[in-house]
Amino acid sequence: MGDATSFTGAPGTELAHHLSCETQARLPNPMKSIWKLSLGRPECINMGNGDPHHTLYPVSEISFKVPAVTNNDPVQAWRNGTGETQVLHAYKDEPSVISLRSALRYGAGAGLLEVRQALEKVNRLLHSTTSNTHTITLSLGNADAVTKCYRLLGNPGDSFLVEEFSFPGMTNAPLAQNIKWVPVKLDEKGIIPEEMERILTDWNEAAQGRRPHVLYTIPCGQNPTGSTLSLDRRQRIYELARKWDIIIIEDDPYFFLQYDIGALDTEAVQRDGFAASFARKLAPSFLSMDVDGRVLRIDSLSKILAPGMRLGWITCNPFFAEKLEMLTDSSTQHPHGLGQVFVAEMLAETGWGMDGFIRWVKSLCDEYQRRRDFFIDTFRREIGDCGFASAEVPEAGMFIWVRVHLECHTRYQSGDDDNTIVLMQELFQNLFEAGLVLMPATTFAIVGSGAKSTPHIHTRCHFFRATFCGTEETMEAGIGIFGKTIKKFFAS
Amino acid sequence: MGDATSFTGAPGTELAHHLSCETQARLPNPMKSIWKLSLGRPECINMGNGDPHHTLYPVSEISFKVPAVTNNDPVQAWRNGTGETQVLHAYKDEPSVISLRSALRYGAGAGLLEVRQALEKVNRLLHSTTSNTHTITLSLGNADAVTKCYRLLGNPGDSFLVEEFSFPGMTNAPLAQNIKWVPVKLDEKGIIPEEMERILTDWNEAAQGRRPHVLYTIPCGQNPTGSTLSLDRRQRIYELARKWDIIIIEDDPYFFLQYDIGALDTEAVQRDGFAASFARKLAPSFLSMDVDGRVLRIDSLSKILAPGMRLGWITCNPFFAEKLEMLTDSSTQHPHGLGQVFVAEMLAETGWGMDGFIRWVKSLCDEYQRRRDFFIDTFRREIGDCGFASAEVPEAGMFIWVRVHLECHTRYQSGDDDNTIVLMQELFQNLFEAGLVLMPATTFAIVGSGAKSTPHIHTRCHFFRATFCGTEETMEAGIGIFGKTIKKFFAS
């Protein structure tokens, strides 16, 4: 880990200056030290802790009926109701991966060891991490994880870098802590490294305060633009992070949904297994490049299992991980046992196993890719010739960033009288009245304290975020409305 | 709600000055306003949101095997493995209380309506609340709820009131936000109202900063002292809160575990049902007295179901509830669907129903009361005559506050040379070496910026927290070690 010549102490400690004052002031729960003391003498009688006795938990068995993932396209069979099913079981005392007795008691903030170990295998496969350099802490999904990272690193007055369009659920959160956003321009390949470097080079600490020491980014299928960072850009951004000593919060809920990777090579699957063969096709994460321990990677099960699962994981250097666990102990405590049981039983060999899990993921990619293609085909058919709108084909995720060619509108004004916002608001209203909701770009625009030379973001708000998660019927009807309405709008 | 003559606007808004700067600065997620817009036109096609499609959730059924609660002492039968069981089911699409389709999608931060409605019934029964004056927001257990309340109300530099011994997991948390604790003396009946009033009256804002505007208290079976506030004290404390404009955070995880309430009157049970008859036996909560909306009550399922459930609820005025929901949207998001399904199915008439739930709770009280009595009997037998230690009989909860009569020790020094801490540390070490862990009072002592006239808390640390949650074998062995060790210690 890290630069061998400069490295001293436990991995991550050399990054201590990135921690917020709150993190530095946070005390551990003093009961933990007594608990740890008693761990050293397992024969000791503990009458200090007040945990309800496990014989009094009123649940003796939990079962989850899930699809069997024995064939290579389980999602299709599942949707059609034709596939075989499998039942994941957990019992109070009988042996299974995790007994309910363990899952339903108070546990470590980072999560149950069995769950972390299973996810460590996923990480090793997908990001080549080792448990020496990077540690897993469970989260309650990415909102929990991202906002904990803000608290970990951000002091009032700090400025964080972010894509200039981003997900407001997450970008509004730290504003209440008085953290400011510095938007970085992006295109269909994600953040433009030169823009990021320009901001950092031009930064004037006297006028603008502390130079940004954190980048928050969604590298795959970015929300809302659908862009995916190219390998080359990732490498350049990581080098910039090293040069300017920046921590990268890699929020990657769409990582598992990467498209156009094609069928897996049968020989490779037979030789290395399904999971390993799939892993090689994916875009390398920032985590996989992280020699310094400056990446906090955030993974989610919301998009590949279900959002209500509220379970994910943060991977980072062990020093940061310890601080995150202290924050968890001082806020949410450990994640719910029900979800941890599900994940452990699902990833175990008695459940889906790693290959089965990735088979589900790959099949899901195929399904969403078909939906994406259906969206694009329908869009081209309905809009194609008119030239009033266009859509980039995303390589990952769930979103299509639909560009409205306002420059073709007779009432469009650029420059000082730019009326992008007014026209887009009018179009949003027309669409709504015609029965379609799309998310306007203004919802995602980061109005930050960026470099003065960048034209105001409102002039670049001629986009809608659309999703292709829905059914073909929804897309067909929705894009139909869009086509009719936009033609009428441009004729006005 | 509130004082009818002074009340204006929505319930709670007149308490807005209690909100922290962070809460006041927090923005809602702007996507919510568009989502709400589209709710007004349900026929609208929504291609704005990026939720995974429900047909792609890989779970079609969840089952929980639980005890049937048809007789009046289900806990005994459950522990012996002789009772009947019942299975709570939830299905993806088939009708049940909550379909998995609803439970596993993104939801409102406050939790699913069905779950909140079921818990509102619990509240109405136990605290006579109405949905006009008090609103329910789900939490991830009390640690999540309490720390969210700190963020809701606390600014850096604020001072909060608390019992002078309290649970360090929760009292350490806000120190990192630079919130200071002001410890209030308590005895076996909980906080002493005169002590609270003295602190508030003597408060010097010029020297000590803003007068405390928050009281954090555990009113039943307090952790660690086991004390339960008498009705009279509760009423006086609530009046003090009104007089000094204080918000009460009522953290009440042991509320359901109240003892010595006796068997329920058969006639009353037949007339009003089991739940209503039980409810009348319980100590009235601060919430039940809350005419002003100044109580944030925090309930937990951890002690009556299982800690790993990580699900509870906050009840407060609608204005605070809205701010809490915004904090949840900006941090953890809504609680996990798996636990919400469990609670909804359990409380439904097809599950345990309200009466069954309370039958479980009452049976659990009986079980813990037997354990408590076993502890006290064993303690008296082992320690009784020697006079070196004594134990109060708690009316609720899981803890016994064991007093060590250091004044009988030959090496004890009081006054300026007080050596309570040194002797107690020595005794802790002796117990540990003999094979017993008890929690020393120092772990719970709040060293605050209280009134100068109060002697330093270290002189009052001659206590251990012990629990009676364990088995009879554990208690028998543990108290045996305690008896032998303390006799040796006092002979030294």
Side-chain angles (χ1 to χ4, degrees):
Chain A
M1 141 89 57
D3 185 345
T5 55
S6 71
F7 175 66
T8 53
T13 51
E14 70 282 10
L15 300 168
H17 59 280
H18 285 286
L19 298 177
S20 66
C21 295
E22 184 181 305
T23 303
Q24 292 180 39
R26 185 165 288 117
L27 299 171
N29 182 340
M31 293 174 66
K32 293 235 161 176
S33 60
I34 293 175
W35 178 69
K36 278 184 187 155
L37 193 70
S38 70
L39 282 186
R41 284 175 70 104
E43 77 287 4
C44 224
I45 292 173
N46 191 333
M47 291 207 324
N49 286 336
D51 297 3
H53 199 259
H54 61 86
T55 54
L56 304 176
Y57 303 161
V59 192
S60 59
E61 187 181 337
I62 303 181
S63 320
F64 303 92
K65 193 190 271 189
V66 299
V69 287
T70 42
N71 71 57
N72 277 348
D73 206 359
V75 170
Q76 280 319 297
W78 182 246
R79 287 192 62 217
N80 301 335
T82 57
E84 285 177 33
T85 59
Q86 178 179 0
V87 180
L88 307 176
H89 288 286
Y91 304 95
K92 194 162 188 180
D93 296 304
E94 286 173 59
S96 62
V97 183
I98 298 182
S99 69
L100 294 180
R101 181 180 163 169
S102 302
L104 293 180
R105 70 181 165 205
Y106 286 112
L112 289 162
L113 186 64
E114 294 87 341
V115 181
R116 284 183 284 146
Q117 283 174 338
L119 293 172
E120 248 171 39
K121 273 193 205 165
V122 175
N123 267 0
R124 267 204 299 282
L125 189 82
L126 299 175
H127 312 288
S128 312
T129 51
T130 75
S131 53
N132 293 332
T133 59
H134 290 88
T135 301
I136 281 181
T137 308
L138 296 196
S139 77
L140 295 159
N142 284 28
D144 177 59
V146 168
T147 53
K148 279 180 177 160
C149 289
Y150 295 154
R151 299 251 185 227
L152 181 80
L153 302 168
N155 279 325
D158 277 1
S159 298
F160 287 4
L161 299 165
V162 64
E163 287 99 351
E164 71 170 354
F165 292 100
S166 190
F167 178 57
M170 287 301 91
T171 54
N172 269 1
L175 298 179
Q177 292 163 253
N178 196 21
I179 289 169
K180 292 172 249 173
W181 288 112
V182 182
V184 187
K185 274 184 121 170
L186 80 171
D187 60 20
E188 68 284 359
K189 291 280 162 215
I191 284 178
I192 302 167
E194 293 73 18
E195 293 284 330
M196 178 169 156
E197 178 147 42
R198 191 177 54 77
I199 290 167
L200 291 163
T201 311
D202 291 354
W203 196 268
N204 178 340
E205 290 213 320
Q208 294 173 279
R210 182 182 183 185
R211 182 179 282 111
H213 70 113
V214 173
L215 165 67
Y216 167 67
T217 180
I218 305 171
C220 288
Q222 200 257 354
N223 186 354
T225 66
S227 63
T228 297
L229 273 172
S230 67
L231 173 59
D232 173 60
R233 285 200 182 175
R234 284 175 202 246
Q235 286 167 337
R236 284 156 69 199
I237 290 168
Y238 190 79
E239 283 313 310
L240 287 175
R242 302 192 82 180
K243 179 176 170 186
W244 295 96
D245 190 17
I246 285 168
I247 303 296
I248 300 174
I249 302 176
E250 177 175 41
D251 180 13
D252 215 353
Y254 309 106
F255 173 76
F256 287 101
L257 299 180
Q258 297 189 33
Y259 310 126
D260 306 317
I261 61 176
L264 302 188
D265 180 57
T266 321
E267 229 172 84
V269 170
Q270 279 187 346
R271 193 182 57 235
D272 308 324
F274 195 92
S277 308
F278 178 74
R280 275 197 291 271
K281 299 268 195 170
L282 300 177
S285 62
F286 281 115
L287 179 62
S288 70
M289 308 171 181
D290 186 29
V291 288
D292 294 344
R294 60 175 69 256
V295 174
L296 286 143
R297 179 177 168 82
I298 295 171
D299 277 287
S300 173
L301 296 169
S302 293
K303 312 300 180 188
I304 50 177
L305 297 180
M309 196 62 70
R310 302 318 308 135
L311 212 65
W313 67 103
I314 308 173
T315 312
C316 63
N317 73 63
F319 177 69
F320 282 4
E322 191 196 333
K323 301 294 179 189
L324 280 172
E325 191 175 349
M326 277 169 66
L327 172 52
T328 295
D329 286 337
S330 281
S331 57
T332 56
Q333 291 199 338
H334 58 91
H336 46 105
L338 302 179
Q340 293 199 70
V341 158
F342 181 89
V343 172
E345 298 292 338
M346 182 268 284
L347 286 174
E349 286 312 313
T350 47
W352 284 357
M354 179 76 88
D355 261 19
F357 169 62
I358 295 294
R359 209 175 273 125
W360 173 261
V361 167
K362 173 70 171 77
S363 179
L364 206 57
C365 288
D366 294 343
E367 170 66 23
Y368 278 120
Q369 184 176 322
R370 272 190 295 274
R371 293 182 187 217
R372 179 200 66 176
D373 293 344
F374 183 88
F375 183 107
I376 293 292
D377 290 348
T378 311
F379 188 90
R380 287 189 181 144
R381 199 184 65 225
E382 293 286 337
I383 319 287
D385 287 343
C386 75
F388 301 143
S390 58
E392 286 288 337
V393 182
E395 293 167 28
M398 300 184 154
F399 300 116
I400 289 182
W401 198 224
V402 176
R403 178 183 188 135
V404 180
H405 295 256
L406 280 189
E407 66 277 11
C408 304
H409 199 287
T410 50
R411 286 191 277 126
Y412 172 67
Q413 295 164 0
S414 62
D416 288 346
D417 300 326
D418 188 285
N419 63 347
T420 301
I421 299 293
V422 175
L423 289 176
M424 287 299 288
Q425 176 58 31
E426 189 181 321
L427 179 54
F428 173 83
Q429 197 57 37
N430 293 355
L431 289 167
F432 182 65
E433 278 158 22
L436 175 67
V437 172
L438 294 176
M439 281 287 165
T442 46
T443 315
F444 307 97
I446 306 287
V447 183
S449 51
K452 297 288 166 290
S453 55
T454 311
H456 197 281
I457 193 165
H458 285 163
T459 64
R460 294 189 294 290
C461 282
H462 50 296
F463 292 90
F464 287 110
R465 188 189 78 173
T467 181
F468 52 87
C469 299
T471 59
E472 297 191 349
E473 296 71 44
T474 303
M475 289 192 265
E476 184 101 44
I479 297 169
I481 294 173
F482 185 73
K484 277 196 208 82
T485 309
I486 202 165
K487 283 168 197 162
K488 223 195 257 177
F489 173 70
F490 272 87
S492 75
Chain B
M1 140 92 53
D3 184 348
T5 54
S6 71
F7 175 66
T8 52
T13 51
E14 71 283 10
L15 298 168
H17 58 279
H18 285 285
L19 298 177
S20 67
C21 296
E22 185 182 303
T23 304
Q24 292 181 38
R26 186 165 289 118
L27 299 171
N29 182 340
M31 294 173 66
K32 293 233 161 178
S33 60
I34 293 176
W35 177 71
K36 278 184 188 156
L37 193 70
S38 70
L39 281 187
R41 283 176 68 105
E43 77 288 3
C44 222
I45 292 172
N46 191 333
M47 291 208 323
N49 286 337
D51 297 2
H53 200 260
H54 61 86
T55 55
L56 304 176
Y57 303 161
V59 192
S60 59
E61 186 182 337
I62 303 180
S63 320
F64 302 92
K65 193 191 272 187
V66 300
V69 287
T70 41
N71 70 57
N72 276 349
D73 204 0
V75 170
Q76 281 317 298
W78 181 246
R79 287 192 61 216
N80 302 334
T82 56
E84 284 177 35
T85 59
Q86 176 179 2
V87 179
L88 307 175
H89 288 286
Y91 304 96
K92 196 163 187 177
D93 296 305
E94 287 172 59
S96 61
V97 183
I98 298 181
S99 69
L100 294 180
R101 182 179 162 170
S102 302
L104 293 180
R105 70 181 167 208
Y106 287 112
L112 291 162
L113 186 64
E114 294 87 340
V115 181
R116 284 183 284 144
Q117 283 173 339
L119 293 173
E120 248 171 38
K121 274 192 205 165
V122 175
N123 268 0
R124 267 204 300 280
L125 189 80
L126 300 175
H127 312 290
S128 311
T129 50
T130 76
S131 55
N132 294 333
T133 59
H134 290 91
T135 302
I136 281 180
T137 309
L138 296 196
S139 76
L140 295 158
N142 285 29
D144 177 59
V146 168
T147 53
K148 278 178 177 160
C149 289
Y150 295 155
R151 299 249 186 231
L152 180 80
L153 302 168
N155 279 326
D158 277 1
S159 298
F160 286 5
L161 299 165
V162 65
E163 287 99 353
E164 72 171 353
F165 293 99
S166 190
F167 179 57
M170 286 303 90
T171 54
N172 269 0
L175 299 179
Q177 290 163 252
N178 196 21
I179 288 170
K180 290 172 252 175
W181 288 113
V182 182
V184 187
K185 273 185 122 173
L186 80 171
D187 59 21
E188 67 283 358
K189 292 279 164 215
I191 285 178
I192 302 167
E194 293 72 20
E195 293 284 328
M196 179 170 157
E197 178 146 42
R198 192 176 53 78
I199 290 167
L200 292 163
T201 312
D202 291 352
W203 196 268
N204 178 340
E205 291 213 320
Q208 295 173 278
R210 181 181 184 187
R211 181 179 283 108
H213 70 113
V214 173
L215 164 67
Y216 167 67
T217 180
I218 306 171
C220 288
Q222 200 257 354
N223 186 353
T225 65
S227 63
T228 297
L229 273 172
S230 66
L231 172 59
D232 172 61
R233 285 202 182 174
R234 284 175 203 246
Q235 286 168 337
R236 285 155 70 198
I237 290 168
Y238 190 78
E239 284 313 309
L240 287 175
R242 301 191 84 180
K243 178 176 171 188
W244 295 96
D245 190 17
I246 285 169
I247 302 296
I248 299 175
I249 303 177
E250 176 176 43
D251 180 12
D252 215 353
Y254 308 107
F255 173 76
F256 287 102
L257 300 179
Q258 297 189 31
Y259 310 126
D260 307 318
I261 61 176
L264 303 188
D265 180 58
T266 320
E267 228 171 85
V269 169
Q270 278 189 346
R271 193 183 56 235
D272 309 324
F274 195 92
S277 308
F278 178 74
R280 275 196 291 272
K281 300 268 195 170
L282 300 176
S285 63
F286 281 114
L287 178 63
S288 70
M289 309 171 180
D290 187 29
V291 288
D292 294 344
R294 60 176 69 256
V295 173
L296 286 143
R297 179 178 167 83
I298 296 171
D299 277 287
S300 172
L301 296 170
S302 292
K303 313 299 180 187
I304 50 177
L305 298 179
M309 195 63 69
R310 303 316 309 134
L311 212 65
W313 67 103
I314 308 173
T315 312
C316 63
N317 73 64
F319 177 68
F320 281 3
E322 190 197 335
K323 301 296 178 185
L324 279 172
E325 190 174 351
M326 277 170 65
L327 172 51
T328 294
D329 286 337
S330 280
S331 56
T332 55
Q333 290 198 341
H334 58 90
H336 46 104
L338 302 180
Q340 292 198 71
V341 158
F342 181 89
V343 172
E345 299 292 339
M346 183 266 286
L347 286 175
E349 287 310 314
T350 47
W352 285 356
M354 180 74 87
D355 260 19
F357 169 62
I358 295 294
R359 210 175 272 125
W360 173 260
V361 167
K362 173 70 170 75
S363 179
L364 206 56
C365 287
D366 293 343
E367 169 66 22
Y368 277 120
Q369 185 176 322
R370 272 190 295 274
R371 293 184 188 217
R372 179 201 65 174
D373 293 344
F374 183 87
F375 183 107
I376 293 291
D377 290 347
T378 311
F379 188 89
R380 289 191 178 144
R381 199 183 64 226
E382 294 286 336
I383 320 287
D385 289 341
C386 75
F388 301 143
S390 57
E392 286 288 335
V393 183
E395 293 167 29
M398 299 183 156
F399 300 117
I400 289 182
W401 197 226
V402 176
R403 178 184 188 137
V404 180
H405 295 256
L406 280 189
E407 67 276 12
C408 304
H409 199 287
T410 51
R411 284 191 278 125
Y412 173 67
Q413 296 164 0
S414 62
D416 288 348
D417 300 326
D418 189 284
N419 62 348
T420 302
I421 299 293
V422 175
L423 289 176
M424 287 299 288
Q425 175 59 33
E426 190 182 320
L427 179 55
F428 173 83
Q429 196 58 37
N430 293 355
L431 289 167
F432 182 63
E433 278 158 22
L436 175 67
V437 173
L438 293 176
M439 282 287 166
T442 45
T443 315
F444 306 96
I446 305 288
V447 183
S449 51
K452 295 291 167 285
S453 55
T454 310
H456 196 282
I457 194 167
H458 285 164
T459 64
R460 294 188 295 288
C461 281
H462 49 296
F463 291 90
F464 287 111
R465 188 189 78 173
T467 181
F468 52 87
C469 301
T471 59
E472 297 192 348
E473 296 70 46
T474 303
M475 288 191 265
E476 182 102 45
I479 297 169
I481 294 173
F482 185 73
K484 276 196 209 80
T485 309
I486 202 165
K487 285 169 197 165
K488 224 196 258 177
F489 174 69
F490 272 86
S492 75

